[in-house]
């Protein structure tokens, strides 16, 4: 809603589509995602302002069922840059407008300090840059995919002796809970529907 309100203030007619897209002229200019862990949620989004859309479509290889579900043949045919709809736009201008919108409604600006940056870099190096984090799910034995109303859900699992030895649940679905809690509860469970 804040992004749509800011865009409408500069005469760009934007609308929410589905559960996490913002469209202008029927084309996607923004997508959002959310992750919940340990009782906290992180919500973030993108805004295509002047992106190289050809390079983006080469880099993004979505599940074909997602494209079919949106009635399009490619990523490129479904997206557009905000700069196609207004000349009064840059990352700095949109950033300042969104900041103003949020602070006018009681939001606070939090500036990252040196200790924050050190903690972020430590976490990046110790967790998010590791092969285990980035490729771990690929080492699991079997993979399943389902397209549900909440989004696409992927499940990768490793089984042994009729039990789930390891499991990862991920995808582009919007969840309000902590998926890792479900993963923990499924490890060691017998691989049968009743269990």
């Amino acid at each position: 809603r804040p992004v749509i309100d800011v865009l409408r203030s500069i005469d760009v007619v934007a609308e929410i589509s589905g559960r996490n897209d913002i469209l202008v002229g029927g084309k996607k200019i923004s997508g959002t995602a959310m992750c919940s862990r340990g009782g906290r949620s992180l919500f973030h989004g993108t805004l295509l302002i002047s992106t190289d859309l050809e390079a983006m479509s080469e880099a993004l290889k979505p599940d074909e069922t997602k494209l079919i579900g949106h009635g399009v043949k490619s990523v490129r045919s479904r997206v557009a840059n905000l700069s196609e709809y207004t000349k009064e736009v840059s990352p700095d201008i949109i950033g300042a407008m969104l900041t103003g919108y949020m602070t006018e409604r009681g939001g606070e600006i939090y500036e990252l300090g040196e200790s924050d940056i050190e903690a972020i870099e430590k976490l990046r190096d110790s967790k998010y840059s590791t092969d285990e984090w980035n490729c771990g799910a690929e080492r699991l034995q079997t993979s399943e995919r389902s397209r549900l109303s909440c989004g696409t859900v992927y499940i990768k699992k490793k089984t042994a002796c009729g039990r789930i030895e390891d499991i990862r649940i991920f995808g582009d679905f919007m969840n309000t809970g902590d998926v890792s809690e479900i993963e923990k509860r499924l490890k060691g469970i017998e691989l049968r529907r009743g269990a």
Side-chain angles (χ1 to χ4, degrees):
R1 178 92 268 156
V3 175
I4 287 174
D5 288 347
V6 164
L7 293 177
R8 287 182 177 173
S9 77
I10 56 172
D11 298 324
V12 175
V13 181
E15 60 186 351
I16 295 172
S17 174
R19 56 189 173 77
N20 64 340
D21 293 343
I22 297 175
L23 305 184
V24 175
K27 293 197 173 188
K28 181 175 176 176
I29 60 156
S30 175
T32 61
M34 188 175 91
C35 176
S36 295
R37 292 275 192 271
R40 295 180 182 201
S41 295
L42 169 67
F43 181 83
H44 70 94
T46 60
L47 189 58
L48 299 173
I49 295 176
S50 58
T51 302
D52 181 339
L53 297 177
E54 294 302 325
M56 184 188 76
S57 65
E58 284 298 312
L60 298 177
K61 301 293 181 195
D63 182 340
E64 284 185 32
T65 59
K66 279 187 77 169
L67 293 176
I68 292 166
H70 289 290
V72 295
K73 294 181 180 181
S74 69
V75 170
R76 178 63 187 97
S77 67
R78 185 173 177 243
V79 298
N81 278 311
L82 188 54
S83 61
E84 296 173 36
Y85 303 97
T86 182
K87 300 297 178 211
E88 300 176 44
V89 68
S90 74
D92 291 339
I93 291 170
I94 293 293
M97 292 176 80
L98 282 168
T99 299
Y101 181 98
M102 299 304 280
T103 54
E104 288 167 11
R105 286 155 183 81
E108 295 180 21
I109 297 172
Y110 179 86
E111 298 286 342
L112 295 176
E114 201 171 302
S115 63
D116 295 314
I117 293 169
E118 286 173 13
I120 291 166
E121 290 172 347
K122 182 179 178 182
L123 184 59
R124 177 200 62 203
D125 296 341
S126 67
K127 183 176 182 179
Y128 296 114
S129 294
T130 65
D131 286 344
E132 181 180 345
W133 176 262
N134 290 298
C135 306
E138 300 303 321
R139 292 195 290 265
L140 299 179
Q141 292 174 338
T142 58
S143 176
E144 298 172 36
R145 176 187 73 215
S146 290
R147 181 85 175 130
L148 306 173
S149 60
C150 64
T152 303
V153 178
Y154 295 91
I155 298 175
K156 293 198 177 211
K157 66 182 180 289
K158 181 177 179 182
T159 59
C161 301
R163 293 190 176 275
I164 298 172
E165 196 172 277
D166 197 6
I167 189 164
R168 288 273 303 275
I169 302 168
F170 54 98
D172 68 353
F173 55 92
M174 298 288 263
N175 63 309
T176 56
D178 190 343
V179 174
S180 67
E181 291 299 319
I182 297 170
E183 293 169 341
K184 286 179 202 170
R185 292 183 69 180
L186 289 171
K187 286 180 186 175
I189 296 291
E190 283 186 62
L191 192 57
R192 59 181 177 83
R193 187 173 297 277

